[in-house]
Amino acid sequence: AVVSTQSTGDDVNITGQPKDGVYIKGMFLEGAGWDKKNCCLVEANAMQLVCEMPTIHFKPAEIKKKAGRGIYSCPCYYYPNRAGTAERASYVVSVDVKCGSATADHWIKRGTALLLSLDS
């Protein structure tokens, strides 16, 4: 990974531009819920397909070898159609998020991913 990510928790904490990197707002989480208090993945509520993510701070970082224990490298896609098309790819980047009480394998099997748009 060439970026480090950190959930801001609440937009109230954002008072200006970050010193390094960029804030990204308006992402959606599919296949899981988000615990704002602990900033980690949780099981989604019944009948909840996607949930809105808090603003995420992307900042430059040294390349690291592998995500640590308790971290899920969540794929991020432009569109819900993850396969994309011949004209446009859908995959953007992997974002490291805390797994919560489950393992990374649990979220992989759930197909948990971040989406930049809910439009096909």
Short mmCIF file of all heavy atoms in Angstrom, two decimals, residues 68-102:
data_model
loop_
_atom_site.label_atom_id
_atom_site.label_comp_id
_atom_site.label_asym_id
_atom_site.label_seq_id
_atom_site.Cartn_x
_atom_site.Cartn_y
_atom_site.Cartn_z
N GLY A 68 -1.58 -6.16 8.99
CA GLY A 68 -1.38 -6.84 10.26
C GLY A 68 -2.60 -7.62 10.71
O GLY A 68 -3.65 -7.59 10.07
N ARG A 69 -2.46 -8.30 11.81
CA ARG A 69 -3.56 -9.06 12.39
C ARG A 69 -4.66 -8.10 12.84
O ARG A 69 -4.38 -7.04 13.37
CB ARG A 69 -3.03 -9.86 13.58
CG ARG A 69 -3.98 -10.89 14.08
CD ARG A 69 -3.34 -11.68 15.24
NE ARG A 69 -4.16 -12.82 15.52
CZ ARG A 69 -3.87 -14.05 15.16
NH1 ARG A 69 -2.74 -14.28 14.52
NH2 ARG A 69 -4.67 -15.05 15.43
N GLY A 70 -5.90 -8.47 12.58
CA GLY A 70 -7.02 -7.61 12.96
C GLY A 70 -7.30 -6.51 11.95
O GLY A 70 -8.10 -5.62 12.20
N ILE A 71 -6.63 -6.58 10.79
CA ILE A 71 -6.83 -5.59 9.73
C ILE A 71 -7.33 -6.30 8.48
O ILE A 71 -6.81 -7.34 8.08
CB ILE A 71 -5.51 -4.84 9.40
CG1 ILE A 71 -4.98 -4.10 10.63
CG2 ILE A 71 -5.70 -3.90 8.22
CD1 ILE A 71 -5.84 -2.94 11.08
N TYR A 72 -8.35 -5.73 7.85
CA TYR A 72 -8.89 -6.25 6.60
C TYR A 72 -8.54 -5.26 5.49
O TYR A 72 -8.85 -4.08 5.58
CB TYR A 72 -10.41 -6.42 6.72
CG TYR A 72 -11.10 -6.72 5.41
CD1 TYR A 72 -10.68 -7.76 4.59
CD2 TYR A 72 -12.19 -5.98 5.00
CE1 TYR A 72 -11.32 -8.04 3.40
CE2 TYR A 72 -12.86 -6.25 3.81
CZ TYR A 72 -12.41 -7.29 3.02
OH TYR A 72 -13.05 -7.57 1.83
N SER A 73 -7.88 -5.73 4.46
CA SER A 73 -7.57 -4.90 3.29
C SER A 73 -8.80 -4.87 2.41
O SER A 73 -8.99 -5.72 1.54
CB SER A 73 -6.37 -5.45 2.52
OG SER A 73 -5.20 -5.23 3.24
N CYS A 74 -9.66 -3.91 2.66
CA CYS A 74 -10.96 -3.81 2.02
C CYS A 74 -10.82 -3.22 0.61
O CYS A 74 -10.34 -2.10 0.47
CB CYS A 74 -11.86 -2.93 2.88
SG CYS A 74 -13.56 -2.85 2.33
N PRO A 75 -11.25 -3.96 -0.41
CA PRO A 75 -11.17 -3.41 -1.76
C PRO A 75 -12.16 -2.26 -1.93
O PRO A 75 -13.24 -2.28 -1.36
CB PRO A 75 -11.52 -4.59 -2.66
CG PRO A 75 -12.32 -5.50 -1.80
CD PRO A 75 -11.82 -5.30 -0.40
N CYS A 76 -11.78 -1.28 -2.70
CA CYS A 76 -12.64 -0.13 -2.98
C CYS A 76 -12.90 -0.09 -4.49
O CYS A 76 -11.95 -0.19 -5.28
CB CYS A 76 -11.97 1.16 -2.52
SG CYS A 76 -12.93 2.63 -2.85
N TYR A 77 -14.17 0.02 -4.86
CA TYR A 77 -14.57 0.03 -6.26
C TYR A 77 -15.32 1.31 -6.60
O TYR A 77 -15.97 1.90 -5.75
CB TYR A 77 -15.50 -1.17 -6.55
CG TYR A 77 -14.87 -2.51 -6.30
CD1 TYR A 77 -15.02 -3.15 -5.08
CD2 TYR A 77 -14.10 -3.14 -7.27
CE1 TYR A 77 -14.43 -4.38 -4.84
CE2 TYR A 77 -13.51 -4.36 -7.05
CZ TYR A 77 -13.68 -4.98 -5.83
OH TYR A 77 -13.11 -6.20 -5.60
N TYR A 78 -15.26 1.70 -7.89
CA TYR A 78 -16.03 2.85 -8.35
C TYR A 78 -17.53 2.57 -8.28
O TYR A 78 -18.31 3.43 -7.88
CB TYR A 78 -15.70 3.20 -9.81
CG TYR A 78 -14.39 3.90 -10.02
CD1 TYR A 78 -13.38 3.31 -10.74
CD2 TYR A 78 -14.19 5.18 -9.51
CE1 TYR A 78 -12.18 3.96 -10.96
CE2 TYR A 78 -12.99 5.84 -9.71
CZ TYR A 78 -11.99 5.22 -10.44
OH TYR A 78 -10.81 5.87 -10.64
N TYR A 79 -17.93 1.37 -8.71
CA TYR A 79 -19.33 1.03 -8.88
C TYR A 79 -19.66 -0.30 -8.22
O TYR A 79 -18.77 -1.12 -8.01
CB TYR A 79 -19.66 0.92 -10.38
CG TYR A 79 -19.20 2.11 -11.16
CD1 TYR A 79 -18.02 2.06 -11.90
CD2 TYR A 79 -19.92 3.29 -11.16
CE1 TYR A 79 -17.58 3.16 -12.63
CE2 TYR A 79 -19.49 4.40 -11.88
CZ TYR A 79 -18.32 4.33 -12.61
OH TYR A 79 -17.89 5.42 -13.31
N PRO A 80 -20.95 -0.55 -7.93
CA PRO A 80 -21.35 -1.84 -7.35
C PRO A 80 -21.00 -3.03 -8.25
O PRO A 80 -20.74 -4.11 -7.76
CB PRO A 80 -22.86 -1.71 -7.19
CG PRO A 80 -23.12 -0.25 -7.09
CD PRO A 80 -22.08 0.40 -7.98
N ASN A 81 -20.98 -2.83 -9.58
CA ASN A 81 -20.54 -3.88 -10.50
C ASN A 81 -19.02 -3.98 -10.41
O ASN A 81 -18.29 -3.25 -11.07
CB ASN A 81 -20.98 -3.56 -11.93
CG ASN A 81 -20.48 -4.60 -12.92
OD1 ASN A 81 -19.85 -5.59 -12.54
ND2 ASN A 81 -20.75 -4.37 -14.19
N ARG A 82 -18.56 -4.87 -9.58
CA ARG A 82 -17.12 -4.93 -9.26
C ARG A 82 -16.27 -5.41 -10.42
O ARG A 82 -15.08 -5.12 -10.48
CB ARG A 82 -16.91 -5.84 -8.05
CG ARG A 82 -17.63 -5.31 -6.83
CD ARG A 82 -17.46 -6.25 -5.67
NE ARG A 82 -18.30 -5.82 -4.56
CZ ARG A 82 -18.22 -6.35 -3.36
NH1 ARG A 82 -17.36 -7.32 -3.12
NH2 ARG A 82 -19.01 -5.94 -2.40
N ALA A 83 -16.86 -6.14 -11.35
CA ALA A 83 -16.10 -6.66 -12.48
C ALA A 83 -15.73 -5.54 -13.45
O ALA A 83 -14.76 -5.65 -14.19
CB ALA A 83 -16.90 -7.73 -13.21
N GLY A 84 -16.50 -4.47 -13.44
CA GLY A 84 -16.24 -3.39 -14.38
C GLY A 84 -16.64 -3.80 -15.78
O GLY A 84 -17.37 -4.77 -15.99
N THR A 85 -16.16 -3.09 -16.76
CA THR A 85 -16.44 -3.40 -18.16
C THR A 85 -15.12 -3.31 -18.93
O THR A 85 -14.10 -2.93 -18.37
CB THR A 85 -17.44 -2.39 -18.78
OG1 THR A 85 -16.84 -1.09 -18.77
CG2 THR A 85 -18.75 -2.35 -18.01
N ALA A 86 -15.18 -3.63 -20.20
CA ALA A 86 -13.97 -3.54 -21.04
C ALA A 86 -13.47 -2.11 -21.12
O ALA A 86 -12.28 -1.85 -21.21
CB ALA A 86 -14.26 -4.09 -22.43
N GLU A 87 -14.41 -1.14 -21.07
CA GLU A 87 -14.04 0.27 -21.18
C GLU A 87 -13.57 0.87 -19.87
O GLU A 87 -12.79 1.83 -19.85
CB GLU A 87 -15.24 1.11 -21.69
CG GLU A 87 -15.69 0.76 -23.09
CD GLU A 87 -16.63 -0.44 -23.12
OE1 GLU A 87 -17.41 -0.63 -22.16
OE2 GLU A 87 -16.57 -1.21 -24.09
N ARG A 88 -14.09 0.37 -18.78
CA ARG A 88 -13.71 0.97 -17.48
C ARG A 88 -13.57 -0.10 -16.40
O ARG A 88 -14.46 -0.91 -16.19
CB ARG A 88 -14.72 2.03 -17.05
CG ARG A 88 -16.09 1.49 -16.75
CD ARG A 88 -17.02 2.58 -16.27
NE ARG A 88 -18.23 1.93 -15.77
CZ ARG A 88 -19.40 2.51 -15.67
NH1 ARG A 88 -19.55 3.75 -16.01
NH2 ARG A 88 -20.44 1.85 -15.20
N ALA A 89 -12.45 -0.06 -15.73
CA ALA A 89 -12.23 -0.97 -14.60
C ALA A 89 -12.98 -0.41 -13.40
O ALA A 89 -13.26 0.78 -13.33
CB ALA A 89 -10.75 -1.06 -14.30
N SER A 90 -13.31 -1.27 -12.46
CA SER A 90 -14.06 -0.81 -11.29
C SER A 90 -13.17 -0.70 -10.04
O SER A 90 -13.41 0.14 -9.19
CB SER A 90 -15.24 -1.74 -11.01
OG SER A 90 -16.03 -1.25 -9.97
N TYR A 91 -12.14 -1.54 -9.93
CA TYR A 91 -11.28 -1.54 -8.75
C TYR A 91 -10.45 -0.26 -8.67
O TYR A 91 -9.90 0.20 -9.67
CB TYR A 91 -10.35 -2.76 -8.77
CG TYR A 91 -9.37 -2.78 -7.63
CD1 TYR A 91 -9.76 -3.19 -6.36
CD2 TYR A 91 -8.06 -2.37 -7.82
CE1 TYR A 91 -8.85 -3.20 -5.31
CE2 TYR A 91 -7.15 -2.38 -6.78
CZ TYR A 91 -7.56 -2.80 -5.52
OH TYR A 91 -6.66 -2.79 -4.50
N VAL A 92 -10.36 0.31 -7.45
CA VAL A 92 -9.58 1.53 -7.26
C VAL A 92 -8.35 1.26 -6.39
O VAL A 92 -7.22 1.45 -6.82
CB VAL A 92 -10.44 2.65 -6.61
CG1 VAL A 92 -9.63 3.91 -6.42
CG2 VAL A 92 -11.68 2.92 -7.42
N VAL A 93 -8.58 0.83 -5.15
CA VAL A 93 -7.49 0.68 -4.18
C VAL A 93 -7.99 -0.19 -3.02
O VAL A 93 -9.19 -0.36 -2.83
CB VAL A 93 -7.06 2.08 -3.65
CG1 VAL A 93 -8.13 2.73 -2.83
CG2 VAL A 93 -5.75 2.03 -2.90
N SER A 94 -7.07 -0.75 -2.26
CA SER A 94 -7.44 -1.45 -1.02
C SER A 94 -7.24 -0.51 0.15
O SER A 94 -6.25 0.22 0.21
CB SER A 94 -6.58 -2.70 -0.82
OG SER A 94 -6.94 -3.68 -1.76
N VAL A 95 -8.20 -0.52 1.07
CA VAL A 95 -8.17 0.35 2.24
C VAL A 95 -8.11 -0.53 3.49
O VAL A 95 -8.98 -1.39 3.68
CB VAL A 95 -9.43 1.25 2.29
CG1 VAL A 95 -9.42 2.11 3.53
CG2 VAL A 95 -9.52 2.11 1.03
N ASP A 96 -7.09 -0.37 4.31
CA ASP A 96 -6.97 -1.16 5.53
C ASP A 96 -7.93 -0.64 6.59
O ASP A 96 -7.88 0.53 6.96
CB ASP A 96 -5.54 -1.10 6.07
CG ASP A 96 -4.55 -1.85 5.20
OD1 ASP A 96 -5.00 -2.60 4.30
OD2 ASP A 96 -3.34 -1.69 5.41
N VAL A 97 -8.83 -1.53 7.06
CA VAL A 97 -9.78 -1.18 8.11
C VAL A 97 -9.70 -2.23 9.22
O VAL A 97 -9.32 -3.38 8.97
CB VAL A 97 -11.24 -1.08 7.58
CG1 VAL A 97 -11.39 0.09 6.63
CG2 VAL A 97 -11.67 -2.36 6.90
N LYS A 98 -10.05 -1.84 10.43
CA LYS A 98 -10.03 -2.77 11.56
C LYS A 98 -11.17 -3.78 11.41
O LYS A 98 -12.28 -3.44 11.03
CB LYS A 98 -10.21 -2.02 12.88
CG LYS A 98 -9.05 -1.12 13.24
CD LYS A 98 -9.33 -0.44 14.56
CE LYS A 98 -8.38 0.69 14.84
NZ LYS A 98 -8.79 1.45 16.02
N CYS A 99 -10.86 -5.04 11.72
CA CYS A 99 -11.81 -6.14 11.57
C CYS A 99 -12.88 -6.19 12.66
O CYS A 99 -13.89 -6.85 12.49
CB CYS A 99 -11.08 -7.48 11.59
SG CYS A 99 -10.08 -7.78 10.16
N GLY A 100 -12.66 -5.55 13.77
CA GLY A 100 -13.59 -5.69 14.88
C GLY A 100 -13.43 -7.04 15.52
O GLY A 100 -12.32 -7.57 15.62
N SER A 101 -14.55 -7.68 15.91
CA SER A 101 -14.47 -8.96 16.60
C SER A 101 -14.32 -10.15 15.65
O SER A 101 -14.05 -11.26 16.08
CB SER A 101 -15.71 -9.16 17.48
OG SER A 101 -16.87 -9.14 16.67
N ALA A 102 -14.49 -9.94 14.35
CA ALA A 102 -14.35 -11.01 13.36
C ALA A 102 -12.94 -10.98 12.75
O ALA A 102 -12.19 -10.04 12.97
CB ALA A 102 -15.41 -10.85 12.27
#
